[in-house]
Amino acid sequence: MIGTKRRAFLFCFFFLLPLLVGSCETIHTLFDPKERSFVSEPIFPQVQGSVEKRDRYELVGREFMIATDHPLASQAGVEVWKKGGNVVDVFSAASFAISVLRPHSTGLFGGGFAVLYFPKKGKWAYDFRERSPKKGTASFYLKPDGSANSEKILKGPYSVAVPGNVQGILKIQKQHGKLPLEEVLAPAMRYAKNGFSVYADLANAVTKVWPNMNPEMQKVFGIDNRPIREGELLVQEDLFQTFTRILDQEEKEWIDGETVKLVSQYYEGYDGFISEADWKEYQVKQLDPLVSSVWGHQILTMPPPSSGVHLVTMMHLYAEMMKRKSFPKGIVGESIQITEAMRVAFRDRAVLGGDPKFTEIPVTKLNSQAYIQEEVNQIEKKVVSGSWQEIQKPVEPKDSYNTTHISVLDKEGNAVSSTQSINGIFGAGQMVPGTGLVLNNTMDDFSIAPGIPNLYGLVGSKANAIAPGKTPLSSMSPSILLDPNGNTKLVIGAPGGSQIPTSIFNTLYHYLIQKRSLYESVSFPRIHHQYNPDTLFLDPELKGYFPESELPFYQVQYGRHRAKVFVVSKEGDKLIGVSDPKGEGVPLGF
Ligand code: DON
């Protein structure tokens, strides 16, 4: 029940305030891109502090463009493009390179997703995410008293799932690339062999995880038994040798090669948790991208167990709210609509999300008009009546900067969008002796038990329960947008755990709806809600921007949105690349 004062406030807020907000009429036209000129200025005014670093993080070209989270990974892409490679060669070279350059974020022992679009050939989605080994069962992670052993699933040798990055990248490269593998692997092998200068983010990650690293890993990421420092040279000789074997043996190395043997030897000390049979059974899944028309564009995104479907639901829900007159307009009204769209989409994720081979995910229904309208009816009722649920105490998801994203686009509209990960910072904190491989901790992306949050504060249901051979639910949502004429408009994705879908939503919202420049759209302070905890997370710059008295029904928490967006868009004959200014990377191209 809400009090009379609050009811009066809500009435004034939702029915009188909108009448006073001048810009409200224009937003109804925003779905038709041809109506672009109707928008005189964005509803969200600019905030201080988000445009200074533009020169470094934005680049305009005409031939091709790549955006990644390390300058040398983008450079690897340029190198193979100049050798006559296509966007897939660029993606493959950058993927292998970033595995060397961001070992705390991704690597050969990780997994990922990729969405490809070639206007003259077709569209594809690849799932090369990690899978649970045969020994990975729900009971394996229970303590004798039946409670969940969250530590076992989060760190150490049992938090590791069977990796897919190598198989995935090799398969995509074989199917769609032009260059020999040698050329594509060359930059990564050079960076591993000759080393590169350690940057602040990597040095900080090494220092943070150092006490939990196994001795082999400390050997690689340490000098004189202490964490390697910023500016020092990181050489990864064993990783170079692993690359050499991949070059010689290709996929076979990842099925029954020397690397598999070394990993199996390591696991002899840990119940054979990942066995040789697990490597043999690993399959990359080739799928059709999930396609939906929304916000005047066609979005091609990754199907489940990615969160692409929930990103699309979020966009549809917002579009429906935008059409309804009953919803408040102006900054606060916009924020409520965005928050409610995120909350419903994350509720769906928590209840339904999982590996579609093991659980039914009603993808079509989740983006059908009937479903969207019904959900918006419920939100509308809640907003208009002010019957909000009790605010819960916020739980801050733990800090984490890892995973990585690569966006590539050429002037013909050929595009690759790929997100890859080892999950937490330095994954499991384990390295297999003699391989240079940092093991992922992706088992934690399963729901260990209903209602128990994972590293990102996300809860899941039985749909995402652990089972042998199963793929854990993921927030990674690599996407490509086409304009109304079917031309590639934008390639986008992000690392950032649960904040991945909302970082993409925020960026697309500012770019397509608010008509900001691409750079401003990436760097604009963000709004995030993930259903659980029931908290509205706002970037610190938005403090004072939303007087809290105007958002009385949300538990608001200020903190930096962790996700880093990497995006390339096409505007006329220009290709614009932006690497998120929160990261270390740059876009490169010409
Ligand atoms: O697939 C997932 O949802 C997570 N493994 C992604 C982790 C991540 O993005 C961490 N980044 N900060």
Side-chain angles (χ1 to χ4, degrees), residues 52 445 468:
E52 293 84 2
D445 277 337

Side-chain angles (χ1 to χ4, degrees), residues 129 400-403 421 423 445 456 474-476 495-497 500:
R129 183 154 162 80
S400 179
Y401 278 100
N402 39 78
T403 306
S421 183
N423 195 25
D445 277 337
Y456 306 102
S474 175
S475 297
M476 299 188 288
I500 292 172

Side-chain angles (χ1 to χ4, degrees), residues 176-479:
H176 306 287
K178 277 165 68 183
L179 294 180
L181 187 57
E182 196 179 352
E183 306 262 30
V184 161
L185 281 176
M189 292 178 73
R190 230 176 33 238
Y191 302 149
K193 176 103 186 140
N194 301 344
F196 62 93
S197 171
V198 170
Y199 47 97
D201 183 56
L202 175 54
N204 292 340
V206 174
T207 304
K208 189 169 173 183
V209 181
W210 183 259
N212 299 318
M213 286 182 179
N214 73 343
E216 180 74 9
M217 206 164 163
Q218 287 191 339
K219 220 166 65 190
V220 171
F221 298 112
I223 293 180
D224 299 334
N225 293 321
R226 50 115 182 125
I228 197 163
R229 296 184 186 130
E230 186 180 353
E232 291 181 328
L233 188 72
L234 175 62
V235 174
Q236 298 172 78
E237 177 61 34
D238 285 344
L239 188 58
F240 171 78
Q241 294 301 339
T242 298
F243 274 118
T244 308
R245 294 195 300 275
I246 293 171
L247 183 55
D248 289 347
Q249 301 293 319
E250 303 189 6
E251 301 78 13
K252 215 173 137 16
E253 179 60 20
W254 235 240
I255 297 169
D256 56 9
E258 177 67 13
T259 308
V260 173
K261 294 207 170 67
L262 290 167
V263 175
S264 301
Q265 266 168 31
Y266 161 89
Y267 269 108
E268 276 169 18
Y270 304 105
D271 306 306
F273 182 64
I274 293 183
S275 69
E276 296 197 2
D278 287 318
W279 296 85
K280 290 201 177 78
E281 277 178 27
Y282 186 91
Q283 295 286 332
V284 175
K285 291 177 192 161
Q286 186 179 321
L287 309 158
D288 290 325
L290 172 64
V291 181
S292 189
S293 289
V294 66
W295 294 8
H297 288 73
Q298 217 178 40
I299 183 165
L300 316 184
T301 189
M302 191 69 208
S306 146
S307 290
V309 55
H310 309 299
L311 166 66
V312 176
T313 303
M314 225 178 261
M315 293 170 77
H316 279 298
L317 287 166
Y318 173 79
E320 178 63 25
M321 283 185 261
M322 224 178 161
K323 282 197 283 204
R324 297 200 184 182
K325 295 248 185 307
S326 54
F327 277 90
K329 308 294 179 222
I331 301 168
V332 173
E334 284 294 296
S335 305
I336 290 169
Q337 291 169 38
I338 292 170
T339 305
E340 291 304 314
M342 290 175 175
R343 179 193 252 147
V344 168
F346 269 96
R347 181 206 62 201
D348 290 347
R349 184 192 188 280
V351 176
L352 301 165
D355 182 343
K357 274 207 149 169
F358 289 72
T359 181
E360 207 199 313
I361 302 165
V363 172
T364 311
K365 180 189 149 193
L366 290 181
N367 291 300
S368 66
Q369 224 191 351
Y371 181 77
I372 296 297
Q373 285 181 344
E374 178 48 33
E375 286 301 324
V376 172
N377 289 346
Q378 298 303 323
I379 298 171
E380 195 173 29
K381 242 192 256 166
K382 185 173 76 170
V383 169
V384 171
S385 71
S387 55
W388 301 77
Q389 281 171 0
E390 270 308 298
I391 290 167
Q392 297 169 5
K393 203 170 168 299
V395 184
E396 181 138 34
K398 291 191 198 103
D399 186 36
S400 179
Y401 278 100
N402 39 78
T403 306
T404 205
H405 182 85
I406 297 168
S407 288
V408 191
L409 178 60
D410 74 8
K411 68 174 180 195
E412 316 289 349
N414 299 307
V416 183
S417 181
S418 177
T419 316
Q420 300 164 21
S421 183
I422 52 168
N423 195 25
I425 304 180
F426 280 114
Q430 301 285 305
M431 180 173 278
V432 171
T435 64
L437 296 171
V438 176
L439 305 192
N440 67 73
N441 65 337
T442 303
M443 290 302 284
D444 186 61
D445 277 337
F446 282 113
S447 167
I448 189 167
I452 307 257
N454 74 357
L455 178 62
Y456 306 102
L458 290 166
V459 290
S461 70
K462 256 170 72 181
N464 190 33
I466 307 164
K470 192 171 174 182
T471 313
L473 175 58
S474 175
S475 297
M476 299 188 288
S477 313
S479 303

Side-chain angles (χ1 to χ4, degrees), residues 20-71:
L20 303 173
V21 177
S23 58
C24 63
E25 281 313 305
T26 54
I27 64 169
H28 290 289
T29 61
L30 286 171
F31 289 101
D32 184 351
K34 286 181 226 115
E35 306 275 358
R36 211 179 154 112
S37 57
F38 276 75
V39 186
S40 50
E41 66 183 56
I43 294 167
F44 282 80
Q46 186 55 270
V47 262
Q48 288 284 306
S50 61
V51 290
E52 293 84 2
K53 296 188 275 181
R54 187 170 187 149
D55 282 355
R56 176 174 194 245
Y57 295 100
E58 180 192 63
L59 189 70
V60 180
R62 287 193 158 75
E63 281 289 316
F64 107 104
M65 186 65 61
I66 176 169
T68 76
D69 204 8
H70 195 290

